[in-house]
Each structure stands twice: as C-alpha cells, then as structure tokens.
Amino acid sequence: MNWTNILNFSRGPLLHVAMIIFVAGLSFRLVRVLLLGWARDRAKNKGSKLWGVIVNYLKGLFVLPFIPWVRRTFRHNELTFIAGGLFHLSLFLVLVFGTAHILVWKSLWGFGWKGLPTPILAFFSAVGIISMIVLLINRLTHPVLKMLTKFPVWINWLVVFLPMITGFIMARHLWFRYEVIFSLHLISVSLLLIWIPFGRISHFLFYFFSKTIHGAQAGKRAVTP
Amino acid sequence: MKEKTIYEHLREKGLSRRDFMKLCGTIAGMMGLEFVPPVKALGKTLGPSPEEVVAQALKTRPKVPIIWLEFQDCAGCSEAISRSSSPLLSNLVLNDIAIEYHETLMAAAGFQAEKAKEECMKKYFGKYVLVVEGSPTLDDDGIYCTVAGKSNLDLLKEAAAGAAAVIATGNCACFGGIPAARPNPTRAVGVADLIKDKPVVNIPGCPAIPEVTTGTILHFLILGQLPETDQLKRPLPFYGHTVHDHCLRRPFYEAGKFAGSFDDEGARKGYCLYRLGCKGPTTYNACAGLKWERGLSYPVQSGHPCLGCSEPHFWDGGGFYQGQSTPIIRLDRGSTATLVGVGVAAGAALAGLNAVKKSRAKKDLRKDQSGAPGSEPGSKKEG
Ligand code: HEM
Ligand code: HEM
Ligand code: SF4
Ligand code: SF4
C-alpha cells in the first residue's frame, strides 16, 4: 500500500460511501422530523407569510450578527457568540469560495464559479481554526458548559476540526507530502459526512427549516419576526 | 585480452579529451550527482568533483551491455529515447554503453535476434542491465503477450535471472500503465511485482523522460549501483519533487489565479491549470525541473494540465480534465434521487410504524380504561 493508492481510495470508494450515507441519512432525518407533525396554526392570516420568511432571513443573516448585544445568547457568553460566528463565516467562505471545493460543487451540479484569492482564503481558514480552538477551550474551562457537553459534542468538534486543519496544512504545503495530507483531508471529510446525519451538525439543515417556519408564523400574524 | 574501457572506446571513435570532460560534466549533471549520497558511498565526498568521478568510472569500466525487452506497450519510451534531442546522451547509451538486444531498434530480426540475445545473456551473465518497457501480463500464464513463441512471463524471468539490475521504464513497466487500466483485461502488473530477487528501479512516465532513463542507466554504469529511490522505487534525483513544486505557473496558484478554460483570458496570461484538471500537486516527476526537448518546455508550460503520468493508475484517477479535488466516483442525479428515496422511505416507514404503535397504545389505554375489551366496533383481538 502506498499513499498514491490510499489517495485514490479516499477520492474514490471512501468518499462515495460517505456521500451515500450523507444523502440517505439526511433525507431520513428530515422526513422523521417533518412527520413528527406540528400543531395546527389556527391564527388568522393577517399579513404575508412570505414577507415574514424574507424578513426573518434578512434579519438573521445581515442585521443581528452586527448588533449582537440585543441578543440574549450574546449577553450570556460573548466569546461563544463571536467565535461561533467567525467559525461559521470562515467555514462558509472556504467551502463555497475555495477553488478546490468549487470543483467539487461543479462535479455535482455541472457549474462552477470564481473563487476567492488564496491569501484571503488562507486568512479565513486560519480564523476558522482559531475560532474552533477558542470554542474548545471555552467548553473545557466553562464550568457549566463542561457539564453540559456530552461525548457526541466532542465528536462534533473533532470531525469538523480535522478537515479544517488538514485542509489548511494542505493548501499551504506544510510538513507533509501532498498526497499524504490530501488523503488525510479526504478521510476526515468522509468521517464528517458519515457523522452528520447521526449528530447535531445536521443543524445546518434544520436551521433553514425553523427559520422558515418561524418567519411564516410571524408573517401570518403581521408581526416582525 | 582485457576488455576495453568506455573511455578507450570513445577515444577510438574520435572523441577529444576536452569533449570527453565536457561529456563527463553533462553526465554528472544528468545523474544529479551533486545532491545524491552515492558519491559519498564511493568515499569521494571531499576529493574529486562529480565530473572527475564520472571520468574515472568511464576510464576504468568496460561497456555495460543492456538487454531491452518490450511487453504490452506502445514503444513510446523507446521512441522518446531514440528521438531525444540530447543526441550525446542517447547515443552514448544506445551505442557506446551498448544495447545488445532491443527488438524495435536492432537491425537483426527473427531467429537471428533471438540468438543474439541468448548469446549476450550467456556471455554477460550476472553483469548486464535489463531494461523493461511495457507491462508483463499474468492472465492465463501470460499468453496475451508472446515473443518468439515464449510468454512474456517466461521471457522476463529468464532475462532477469542473469541481470545485475533491472530498470523498468514507462508507467506500463512500472505499474501496469494503460494495459492495467480498468478493467485490466490481461491482468497487467509492474515488473517489480514479479521480480523480487534483483534490484529493480522504476522510471515511470508516459513516456518516461528519456534523459531520466539514460541518466539512471548511467548512474548504474558509473557508480555500480542503482540510485536511491522513494517508496515506489523511483530514483530520488528525478522523482524527489512534484511537477507542482517546480512549476513555472506556481505563483499564479499561490495567488489563486486559475485558467477557467483553455482559451480564456486566464489561459492566455499563463495562469495555473488546477481548475482544468492539473495533477501536478501529486505527481512526482522531473518534468518541471529537467523539462523536455533539452529544456525547451514541458506539458504544463505548453498549456496542458499534468495528467499524473508517473503515478500508479493515473489512467483511473478521475477524468484528465476534471479537477484533482473532485470525487473519482460521481454521485449522479439518478443515484442521488434513489438515495433520497431510500432515506425518505425508511423515515416514512418508521414514522408509520410509530403511528401504528401509538394508536394501538392509545386503544389499549382506552380498553384498559373502559374495562370492556372488544367493545369498540371493528377492533381486533390480539393474541
Ligand atoms: C469532498 C469534499 C472535499 C474535498 C474534495 C476537499 C478538497 C480540498 C483540497 C484539494 C484542498 C486544498 C486546495 C489547495 O491545495 O489549494 C482543500 C482545502 C481546504 N479544505 Fe477541503 N475538501 C473537501 C471538504 C472539506 C470540508 C467539509 C471542510 C471543512 C469542514 C474542508 C476544509 C478545508 C479547508 C479549511 C481548506 C484550506 C483552504 C485554504 O486555506 O485555502 N474541506 N480541500
Ligand atoms: C446554514 C448553516 C448553519 C447555521 C445557520 C448554523 C448555526 C449554528 C448555531 C446557531 C450554532 C450555535 C448553537 C449551538 O451551539 O447548537 C451552531 C453551532 C455549531 N455549528 Fe453550525 N450552523 C450552520 C452550518 C454548520 C456546518 C455546515 C457545520 C459543520 C460542518 C457547523 C458546525 C457547528 C459546530 C461544530 C457548532 C458548535 C460550536 C460550539 O462548539 O459552540 N455548522 N451552528
Ligand atoms: S499548473 Fe499544475 S503543477 Fe503548475 S502550479 Fe498549477 S496545479 Fe501546480
Ligand atoms: S507534466 Fe505530468 S503528465 Fe505530463 S509528462 Fe510530466 S508528469 Fe507526465
């Protein structure tokens, strides 16, 4: 076994199986939640559901992140809020505007787009990694959080951190031969994909779900979400 | 009579001393002698310069006979050598170090050629270098590639038995190459998979860079041993770096400037070819350093992404024009839809099961409360 073969295996069958589990598992999770059903909303329609949804997203993405102090979560723990926010921002930029990742999207959907310059990506992946370390230290030292953090949460952290750190090392060509770190990146990505349907990282799916429902409910009542 | 040394042979052919020293310098450069440890192995670290090491070897060593076998291949590696634009080196290897047997290049043919080979193998037993081009094939005892009525497996074993060293040239001989591409109909393998009791060195490429093959042969000639190799038995002086490491488009890669197609603005400006499928980052070969055609250019410089031709199974590593980061096995729309269907069906089935359970539990509850079993119309009794 040599690293070229390991890379071909991780780019091939391993990633394939991981994607299969990811797609089938997430569909399963989503249906399970949908079929739980929710209480009939008997309020009369006074406004626009669509408008409520739009306002809810705009506020969540473009307003609240910049005036975080109005939020209880922020006042509760500024550090978690800022580090968490920076982590998600970095993750988004790297996954959507990193050239290597754009090629993955292109292979799935048939079209690509322009990436960000590498130095900017490098900056954000570093920010993402540091934020994750801050979040970890916070969890390890905060007396209440530590108690709340159960085993699966540590796994959540690990399976996200590993692709971040291996990706960063690979893109900077540090320490490892490229095919070695590339294989490690793909093995950790596969791990993440396999873990997502079983753990709480699937929140990225349910986020849109809850944001939409809440927006619609508020819109119906003609109140600002 | 004592065997003529290479130097004597060259002088006889009219090479001047000055040209001889120049040649030695070229050879030393070709072998990458400046940065490989074997010079130390000779105990000459402080003494003579690399050229002098070469000169001394050529003055004391006799010609090394080479037997060159071809199996499943396109003869591209031989083509590359015979047409390489470093005539000095290829001539040296082809004529002056002496290739005794090479089906494609030798004048003799048929039984005559076979006889020449047998005589050479007998005369130089234990001394000759065996160069193999093309992949040996295992299926059905190797009958899918036969020469003069013998299967390639027999030919290889027979020739390797008396070889001092074996050099596999081209991806086919090293790793099976194109004949081994899925589904590998003849079960082609690399030479090193079969020959375990001799030193084997791999010079992969498609074709192998001629200067690298000749350089490695010269290395054996001059230092009496094969160069140091990596995990895949590739000589480190030539395969120590990736194409990407020395690529002249590298600054564009670092800046994140990529050509998006073969004729866009980026391509004209010489941007990095990563998006067009370049495999340079994982491909160990001397292309970017040594270049082809005496340093004229190499594929990436000329505008084509690296195919990864010096790596095992490069033919099956995803599309040549598909980015290196893309999954090799694609999840197409059909299978995605199927998977979603499976997930949804499983979720729905489970939900249905739960609903049934719940309604049963409810019923049971009601039964318990009313204390009158079977009072509800249509309810079934359970065992
Ligand atoms: C199929 C999935 C993926 C593939 C094929 C892939 C491939 C790659 C490749 C080839 C690079 C290096 C690009 C270069 O050399 O310039 C890279 C960088 C990176 N990847 Fe991934 N990746 C995948 C998924 C992920 C995921 C899920 C994460 C995070 C959770 C991630 C995080 C990163 C990071 C942080 C970098 C460094 C970017 C930079 O600093 O420029 N990757 N990825
Ligand atoms: C639309 C996309 C996403 C949204 C809106 C979102 C939102 C959030 C929110 C609100 C939290 C904090 C609440 C909590 O701790 O449970 C959180 C935490 C977290 N998210 Fe996301 N997320 C998204 C995507 C992702 C993705 C794709 C990943 C990983 C691949 C990820 C990884 C995490 C992790 C590891 C935490 C825990 C951080 C900690 O230790 O405090 N998120 N996310
Ligand atoms: S063209 Fe290929 S080898 Fe050159 S820098 Fe870009 S990815 Fe690397
Ligand atoms: S650039 Fe790549 S594919 Fe082309 S000859 Fe060199 S190693 Fe082979």
Side-chain angles (χ1 to χ4, degrees), chain A residues 172-187:
Chain A
R172 310 281 92 69
H173 300 81
L174 302 172
W175 309 311
F176 296 85
R177 279 162 79 102
Y178 196 88
E179 68 275 24
V180 175
I181 192 73
F182 196 172
S183 306
L184 296 179
H185 188 56
L186 290 175
I187 291 169

Side-chain angles (χ1 to χ4, degrees), chain A residues 80 87-88 91 135 139 160 192 200-201 203-204 207-208:
Chain A
T80 324
F87 156 69
H88 282 89
L91 185 70
L135 286 171
R139 268 191 197 280
V160 179
L192 173 66
R200 277 212 40 214
I201 303 178
H203 68 264
F204 71 85
Y207 169 83
F208 296 103

